Amino acid sequence: LSADQEAERIAHLLLEALCESFQMGDQTIEMGASIGIAISPDHGTDLTALMKAADLAMYKAKANGRSQVCLYDTSLTAAVEEKARIERALRQSVERGELALAIQPLICTRNDAVVAGEALVRWNHPVEGSILPDSFISIAEESCLIIQIGNWVIEAAARTLARWQAAGLPQRLTINISPRQVERPDFFSHLRDTFASLDAPLFMLELEFTETLAMRCSDAVMVGLGALRAQGVSIVIDDFGAGYSNLARLKDMPITRVKLDSSLVADIDSCESGRTIVSAVIHLIHGLGAEVVAEGVERREQFEVLRALGCDVVQGFMFAEPMSEAEFSSWVAERSNDLYVVQSA
């Protein structure tokens, strides 16, 4: 065996030993481990370099699903350096005001009216152009940057809704909230203070959380969400069907809408079993007293099936891509005029 293979063989034996359950009194204790391997001289010639390489390999093992063994390679260092570069640039972008909101409309299936717009963060990089959140939000989540970005989104949303109210736009605005953000003790007071200071209508706001966060949030967060719901704020659960929902917990949450994960919608017009699942989920959510939103709608056939199944609201490229606030206002106005002409004909 090569040195790499021998090290991995020993690591797997170690992992098996560590993962064996054992008794402590009346309790059965189970442990797990993630093991990173670094070998001299390929991965370092001193203890500090080897420990750093092994540490990177260990975190890679954790990312692979825990209870894994991972041998260091240079791509791990390159990934860490790239992540650090993005984090530095993102921190500067917040300070320089390079973030912007793009808004994607949500359409009522009963009358085709625009009921809300979802605010999506865009990073307007001076060199790379508009960067989508998939490229940087996970990095921001792992650092305190998500708090800064989240606070910026709250303020931007408040300013937007103040303008919409002044212009007579009745649509609500949805913003996404991160787990780190909502668990902060000052989250709810900061949200209210920001809206009050900018004279923005809190009742036109929608807060969107992932299904995973909804299942894990603390009792204090549940109470805070309930208080906001009493003030007219809509509470939306995102990505429903992508994780593992505790239905008993879901029924106790002050939810207004539940968004189906796009994976449930993708083949709904061509897969009978997919339609059966979505139909059951829609009835379940309606039974909880909430509306159903389907995102990722790209084809007319998907829309027609969802409308027939009783889905309340849809969102996707079939209607419009995310756009600027000015474009959204014009788009809503044009659509309202078109609907008026059709209804008056």
Side-chain angles (χ1 to χ4, degrees), residues 27-49:
Q27 301 293 320
T28 299
I29 308 298
E30 295 185 354
M31 296 176 59
S34 298
I35 300 177
I37 302 171
I39 299 174
S40 179
D42 295 342
H43 307 146
T45 55
D46 56 62
L47 182 59
T48 300

Side-chain angles (χ1 to χ4, degrees), residues 286-297:
H286 283 167
L288 296 173
E291 290 186 336
V292 181
V293 182
E295 58 183 343
V297 179

Side-chain angles (χ1 to χ4, degrees), residues 77-93 123 125 127-128 131 135 139 145:
T77 296
V80 169
E81 291 174 349
E82 175 63 9
K83 177 182 171 182
R85 183 194 68 80
I86 293 174
E87 185 176 335
R88 287 193 301 271
L90 184 56
R91 190 180 303 278
Q92 293 169 354
S93 78
W123 175 7
H125 194 281
V127 176
E128 300 176 28
I131 301 177
S135 302
I139 293 174
L145 275 175

Side-chain angles (χ1 to χ4, degrees), residues 155-174:
E155 182 175 337
R159 294 185 185 280
T160 299
L161 283 174
R163 288 190 291 268
W164 286 8
Q165 186 179 50
L169 285 176
Q171 281 76 26
R172 304 170 74 92
L173 185 65
T174 306

Side-chain angles (χ1 to χ4, degrees), residues 98-295:
E98 294 174 358
L99 299 181
L101 293 182
I103 302 172
Q104 187 173 37
L106 281 74
I107 311 296
C108 176
T109 58
R110 292 184 295 277
N111 57 18
D112 288 344
V114 182
V115 297
E118 180 178 3
L120 304 166
V121 180
R122 295 291 185 266
W123 175 7
N124 293 324
H125 194 281
V127 176
E128 300 176 28
S130 181
I131 301 177
L132 300 181
D134 287 350
S135 302
F136 63 86
I137 286 296
S138 61
I139 293 174
E141 285 278 6
E142 295 174 13
S143 69
C144 62
L145 275 175
I146 195 63
I147 306 301
Q148 291 177 263
I149 293 173
N151 288 340
W152 178 88
V153 169
I154 288 173
E155 182 175 337
R159 294 185 185 280
T160 299
L161 283 174
R163 288 190 291 268
W164 286 8
Q165 186 179 50
L169 285 176
Q171 281 76 26
R172 304 170 74 92
L173 185 65
T174 306
I175 60 174
N176 292 274
I177 303 297
S178 80
R180 283 198 172 195
Q181 190 179 5
V182 76
E183 291 288 356
R184 287 176 63 89
D186 64 343
F187 170 75
F188 294 104
S189 60
H190 173 74
L191 176 67
R192 289 189 179 91
D193 291 347
T194 300
F195 269 68
S197 67
L198 295 171
D199 198 23
L202 197 59
F203 66 88
M204 292 176 68
L205 178 67
E206 296 188 347
L207 299 182
E208 187 168 298
F209 304 86
T210 63
E211 179 187 32
T212 302
L213 172 58
M215 295 304 106
R216 295 179 181 176
C217 65
S218 66
D219 291 340
V221 170
M222 291 277 277
V223 171
L225 293 177
L228 282 178
R229 184 74 185 90
Q231 291 182 270
V233 176
S234 292
I235 308 300
V236 183
I237 304 301
D238 192 17
D239 299 332
F240 186 84
Y244 300 93
S245 293
N246 181 329
L247 298 181
R249 183 171 178 79
L250 194 64
K251 73 178 178 61
D252 294 330
M253 294 194 71
I255 54 176
T256 311
R257 294 194 182 114
V258 175
K259 270 191 176 182
L260 304 181
D261 186 71
S262 57
S263 63
L264 295 177
V265 176
D267 61 354
I268 195 172
D269 55 328
S270 60
C271 177
E272 185 176 350
S273 60
R275 288 192 293 273
T276 300
I277 291 172
V278 170
S279 177
V281 172
I282 289 174
H283 281 87
L284 171 67
I285 294 170
H286 283 167
L288 296 173
E291 290 186 336
V292 181
V293 182
E295 58 183 343

